[in-house]
Amino acid sequence: MTVKGFKAAAIAAGLRYSERFDMGLIAADKPAAWAGVFTQSVCRAAPVIWSAAKAARGTGRAFLVNSGQSNAQTGKIGEEHCRMSAGSLSGLLHTTDDEIMLASTGIIGQPIKIEAMMAALPNLVAALRDTEQAFDDFSQAILTTDTRAKTASAEIELGGHKVSLWGCCKGSGMIAPNMATMLGFVLTDAAVAPELLQWLTKEGADLTFNRVSVDGDTSTNDSVMVMASGASGVTVEGGESLAAFKKAFFEVMKSLAVQIARDGEGATKLVTVRVRGAANDEEARKAARTVAESPLVKTAFHGCDANWGRICMAIGRSGAKFDPYAVDIDLDDVPWIRAGIDNGREEEATAVMQKKEYVVDINLGAGGCEYDIMTCDLSHEYVTINGSYRS
Amino acid sequence: MTVKGFKAAAIAAGLRYSERFDMGLIAADKPAAWAGVFTQSVCRAAPVIWSAAKAARGTGRAFLVNSGQSNAQTGKIGEEHCRMSAGSLSGLLHTTDDEIMLASTGIIGQPIKIEAMMAALPNLVAALRDTEQAFDDFSQAILTTDTRAKTASAEIELGGHKVSLWGCCKGSGMIAPNMATMLGFVLTDAAVAPELLQWLTKEGADLTFNRVSVDGDTSTNDSVMVMASGASGVTVEGGESLAAFKKAFFEVMKSLAVQIARDGEGATKLVTVRVRGAANDEEARKAARTVAESPLVKTAFHGCDANWGRICMAIGRSGAKFDPYAVDIDLDDVPWIRAGIDNGREEEATAVMQKKEYVVDINLGAGGCEYDIMTCDLSHEYVTINGSYRS
């Protein structure tokens, strides 16, 4: 799929892998509304600092991304490399530096191979196309330890016109909620005012990308960037058109987020942890996150071990307040724990845990607040990947 | 080693392992000062609730411990089992229920095999001895996934008399700081007033057991229990005797805590993470803990990968405030990172990381507060152990 008003391209610039794409570009034909959410880490990478400043201006032209080096903790050199690449690209696109957002992913602390990047930029711009192949190539260029490209799209009818949305993302390790998480890009040909687009992006990221945890670790480079070209001729402002657009926009984001959890480093299972009945929102979030990030719970998921004691351990240490003998836990539709006590369903629970995807539904019995988060299991493969890969 | 005024015993009661000790007992010849610190989990096991109440009375006679079942999340049955075992033991020791503290470790959610425990109690009491073998047997009876028994001892001279301290502990998974952590027992033949003993126990646990993190997971059963018989004839009250006793007492606790970190599930390395230069104590703690518990950092430790970017990632997301370009990181004596930038010492840093034990020293450059914590690497073996073991 493609989105009207945008072109995409990718190139193998030799930043890291000689035989694969490691630079990607998305360019709007004309200035487009854009928005972004970025990592809340104190150690923000140079391209994050660059892009967060540019996003605030509301409109722009292009997203330039590289894999191989993250350009984080690179100091003055890192800032200079941002100026160089944006400066060169803006010249090639006949626009200004301010209309370019940058994203990088890869090893922290190593400067970008800037000569290779600068040499590749003219060819990258020359490769821009409004074809499905070009969009697919872009989605490949942003990958690191990901085992597959992650894209999602939607088409909706608004006022008799077709509106398209397309997104892609990368991320399988160094991922946790409470963040803008990983690299994500979403495009639409609807016309959306910058303030509204920013609100939708923030709200959507909170409900989707920020609800994924592979390992509780959050990156220096997490960014989600969105552009709306308006080339469909449809304007999203309020009322029904906003409701329909928002639904499609969040669904695209959610699909991307699910793909990240499913492609978690070494992951073999996608588990949704839902906490209900919490006394307040913060305790619901804490309890869900603690379960989703507990190494003991995640290894039990991996071993298909219906060991609910580890879930009690995790909620017990999470900081949430509740009566341990008011807790119910369901595993899909199996009433696993009732009033804090084993309900004699080990066989059925074990059968659920052997599935590829399931829901752990925890009712704390302490109030009316809830939170859900997607996670994966902790496997030998995770240790293998991260014991050697430089990320 | 033994400690005057105490006897110990262990027995294979068939609670879990048929061929090995799974119940242990320490009994004071006469009522002794005692103290305890316990898990801060909301889901406290029945024996923790029991013992915390008894500890408050200041003196008692015995510690009874079992491995195999943790008696956590067992509701009314769990409470009843505490009353039954303490009631039987108090009769056999000619004392009262109030003078017995209980501890359990093992699978959460399964009631204790109470018939086996009750049947074993008379033989356990009959086996009480003041021999080294008996103390060693006790240290064996409390183990679960531990690969070895963990004991520590000290002898000091106070006012011309010898004072002895001996302790043992268990724990290799479900361990994190901010807690009373795992099961730990310390005995001394000094005379120490209950209030002073409780203060020393709390302070000592905060500086030792609570500074260990294997996996960030904290148990429903963590307990540290201390008894002081006074049988040495030496009273520890204040001044020099308190200073000398405190030093020895903390050293015993520290030795036990180090043994836990070294025996972390699947651990091959003992790493001390020290954060200095934090703006306040809480931020120092958060930064150290986030590094020590990050799966990406711990897999890098395992792979001997001198990947300092992951440490920046962890401190960046920890909640501590600092300038990323004011951070220095040393690996033992290697000046690894200076002002947030790679210092060109990868070869030396890699050599340090191949050691069994080393220190990661992080100076945030934001203030005068510090915190240190011991952790281990995250290995394939951790996943193997916890993908199958029921804990």
Side-chain angles (χ1 to χ4, degrees):
Chain A
M1 174 166 176
T2 64
V3 181
K4 280 184 204 162
F6 297 103
K7 295 187 178 69
I11 197 168
L15 296 183
R16 179 164 180 209
Y17 306 95
S18 48
E19 326 95 58
R20 48 154 291 187
F21 295 138
D22 49 18
M23 283 179 69
L25 174 64
I26 286 177
D29 301 333
K30 294 186 281 188
W34 68 7
V37 289
F38 301 94
T39 180
Q40 290 165 36
S41 174
V42 168
C43 299
R44 304 212 295 180
V48 169
I49 295 167
W50 173 278
S51 298
K54 307 308 175 201
R57 66 192 297 280
T59 60
R61 286 288 299 278
F63 299 150
L64 175 66
V65 55
N66 74 280
S67 55
Q69 299 90 39
S70 72
N71 198 9
Q73 292 298 129
T74 45
K76 297 274 177 229
I77 294 170
E79 291 172 32
E80 178 61 20
H81 288 171
C82 287
R83 278 192 297 271
M84 288 170 71
S85 57
S88 172
L89 180 61
S90 65
L92 293 163
L93 293 177
H94 310 292
T95 178
T96 65
D97 295 11
D98 279 350
E99 297 209 302
I100 290 164
M101 281 206 248
L102 304 172
S104 297
T105 176
I107 302 168
I108 298 173
Q110 294 188 358
I112 282 188
K113 293 184 179 171
I114 193 67
E115 292 81 8
M117 180 181 263
M118 297 298 277
L121 274 172
N123 296 328
L124 184 62
V125 170
L128 280 169
R129 297 284 184 280
D130 58 358
T131 60
E132 289 198 18
Q133 184 65 50
F135 279 65
D136 282 351
D137 288 351
F138 178 87
S139 73
Q140 292 282 347
I142 63 179
L143 307 180
T144 55
T145 57
D146 305 65
T147 64
R148 48 188 175 270
K150 301 169 183 71
T151 64
S153 61
E155 288 189 350
I156 52 173
E157 284 261 327
L158 289 179
H161 292 80
K162 198 182 78 172
V163 166
S164 300
L165 298 98
W166 176 89
C168 69
C169 65
K170 66 87 44 179
S172 58
M174 212 178 276
I175 284 173
N178 199 27
M179 284 284 154
T181 314
M182 39 95 266
L183 299 187
F185 303 92
V186 183
L187 306 174
T188 178
D189 52 14
V192 189
E195 298 73 23
L196 179 57
L197 194 63
Q198 180 62 37
W199 180 83
L200 285 166
T201 302
K202 173 76 169 64
E203 188 81 0
D206 281 348
L207 290 171
T208 60
F209 293 122
N210 289 353
R211 300 285 181 106
V212 172
S213 181
V214 169
D215 51 18
D217 277 333
T218 36
S219 154
T220 50
N221 289 58
D222 300 331
S223 305
V224 175
M225 301 176 181
V226 178
M227 266 199 289
S229 69
S232 66
V234 177
T235 300
V236 171
E237 280 176 312
E240 275 184 40
S241 75
L242 177 56
F245 180 80
K246 181 176 157 187
K247 183 166 177 289
F249 186 64
F250 286 10
E251 278 172 5
V252 166
M253 283 184 152
K254 173 85 174 192
S255 167
L256 295 173
V258 169
Q259 291 177 61
I260 287 173
R262 208 173 267 148
D263 195 27
E265 285 175 345
T268 68
K269 292 174 189 297
L270 174 67
V271 182
T272 300
V273 176
R274 180 173 300 135
V275 167
R276 295 183 294 129
N280 56 55
D281 289 340
E282 176 60 13
E283 293 189 7
R285 193 190 66 78
K286 276 186 187 170
R289 184 172 173 158
T290 305
V291 172
E293 295 178 359
S294 157
L296 284 170
V297 171
K298 288 162 73 86
T299 46
F301 289 162
H302 185 62
C304 305
D305 182 7
N307 187 342
W308 60 269
R310 292 187 184 171
I311 295 176
C312 288
M313 174 282 298
I315 56 177
R317 73 171 171 89
S318 68
K321 298 281 177 292
F322 59 91
D323 172 357
Y325 294 106
V327 173
D328 292 342
I329 308 179
D330 288 7
L331 209 52
D332 278 354
D333 55 356
V334 176
W336 198 15
I337 302 303
R338 283 297 172 267
I341 302 283
D342 192 84
N343 200 25
R345 304 298 179 104
E346 172 147 356
E347 205 172 311
E348 294 158 73
T350 302
V352 170
M353 292 188 79
Q354 278 157 356
K355 290 161 60 177
K356 285 278 183 202
E357 303 194 12
Y358 54 88
V359 178
V360 179
D361 186 306
I362 302 160
N363 192 331
L364 297 179
C369 295
E370 61 181 82
Y371 192 91
D372 57 83
I373 184 168
M374 287 174 287
T375 189
C376 57
D377 54 335
L378 174 58
S379 69
H380 292 94
E381 190 61 15
Y382 179 88
V383 178
T384 299
I385 292 168
N386 288 299
S388 57
Y389 174 71
R390 274 290 173 97
S391 69
Chain B
M1 173 166 176
T2 64
V3 181
K4 279 184 205 163
F6 297 104
K7 295 186 178 69
I11 196 168
L15 296 183
R16 179 163 181 211
Y17 306 95
S18 48
E19 326 93 59
R20 49 155 291 187
F21 296 137
D22 50 18
M23 282 179 68
L25 175 64
I26 286 176
D29 300 334
K30 293 187 281 188
W34 69 7
V37 289
F38 302 94
T39 180
Q40 290 165 38
S41 174
V42 168
C43 299
R44 304 213 295 180
V48 169
I49 295 168
W50 174 278
S51 298
K54 307 308 175 200
R57 66 192 298 280
T59 60
R61 287 288 298 278
F63 299 151
L64 175 65
V65 56
N66 74 280
S67 56
Q69 299 89 40
S70 73
N71 198 10
Q73 293 297 130
T74 46
K76 297 275 176 227
I77 294 170
E79 292 172 30
E80 177 61 22
H81 287 171
C82 288
R83 279 193 297 272
M84 287 170 70
S85 57
S88 172
L89 180 60
S90 65
L92 292 163
L93 293 176
H94 310 294
T95 178
T96 65
D97 295 11
D98 279 351
E99 296 210 304
I100 291 164
M101 280 206 249
L102 304 172
S104 298
T105 176
I107 301 167
I108 297 173
Q110 294 188 357
I112 282 189
K113 293 184 179 169
I114 192 68
E115 292 81 8
M117 180 180 264
M118 297 299 278
L121 274 172
N123 295 328
L124 184 62
V125 170
L128 282 169
R129 298 284 184 280
D130 58 358
T131 60
E132 289 199 17
Q133 183 65 51
F135 279 65
D136 282 351
D137 289 352
F138 178 87
S139 74
Q140 292 283 348
I142 63 178
L143 307 179
T144 56
T145 57
D146 305 64
T147 65
R148 49 189 174 269
K150 301 169 182 71
T151 63
S153 60
E155 287 188 351
I156 51 173
E157 285 260 327
L158 290 179
H161 293 80
K162 197 182 80 172
V163 165
S164 300
L165 298 97
W166 176 89
C168 69
C169 65
K170 65 89 42 180
S172 58
M174 212 178 275
I175 284 173
N178 199 26
M179 284 282 152
T181 313
M182 42 94 262
L183 299 187
F185 303 92
V186 183
L187 305 174
T188 178
D189 52 14
V192 189
E195 298 73 24
L196 179 56
L197 194 63
Q198 179 63 37
W199 180 83
L200 286 167
T201 302
K202 173 74 170 62
E203 190 81 0
D206 281 348
L207 289 170
T208 59
F209 293 122
N210 289 352
R211 301 286 181 105
V212 173
S213 181
V214 169
D215 52 19
D217 276 333
T218 36
S219 154
T220 51
N221 288 58
D222 299 333
S223 306
V224 175
M225 301 176 181
V226 177
M227 268 200 287
S229 68
S232 66
V234 177
T235 299
V236 170
E237 280 175 312
E240 276 185 39
S241 75
L242 177 57
F245 180 80
K246 181 177 156 186
K247 182 166 178 289
F249 185 64
F250 287 10
E251 278 173 5
V252 166
M253 281 183 153
K254 174 85 174 191
S255 167
L256 294 173
V258 168
Q259 292 177 61
I260 286 173
R262 207 173 268 148
D263 195 26
E265 286 175 345
T268 67
K269 292 174 188 296
L270 174 68
V271 182
T272 299
V273 175
R274 179 174 300 134
V275 167
R276 294 182 295 128
N280 56 55
D281 289 339
E282 177 59 14
E283 292 189 8
R285 193 190 66 78
K286 274 186 188 170
R289 183 172 173 160
T290 305
V291 172
E293 295 180 359
S294 156
L296 284 170
V297 171
K298 288 162 73 85
T299 46
F301 289 162
H302 185 62
C304 305
D305 181 8
N307 187 341
W308 59 271
R310 292 188 185 173
I311 295 176
C312 289
M313 174 279 300
I315 58 177
R317 74 170 170 90
S318 69
K321 298 282 177 292
F322 58 92
D323 173 357
Y325 295 105
V327 173
D328 291 343
I329 307 179
D330 288 6
L331 208 53
D332 277 355
D333 55 355
V334 177
W336 199 15
I337 302 302
R338 283 297 174 265
I341 302 281
D342 192 83
N343 201 25
R345 303 299 178 104
E346 172 147 355
E347 204 171 313
E348 294 157 73
T350 301
V352 171
M353 291 188 79
Q354 278 157 356
K355 292 162 59 177
K356 285 278 184 202
E357 303 194 10
Y358 55 86
V359 177
V360 179
D361 187 305
I362 302 160
N363 192 331
L364 297 179
C369 295
E370 61 181 83
Y371 192 91
D372 57 82
I373 183 167
M374 287 175 287
T375 189
C376 57
D377 53 335
L378 173 58
S379 69
H380 292 94
E381 190 60 15
Y382 179 88
V383 178
T384 300
I385 292 168
N386 289 298
S388 58
Y389 173 72
R390 275 287 173 98
S391 70

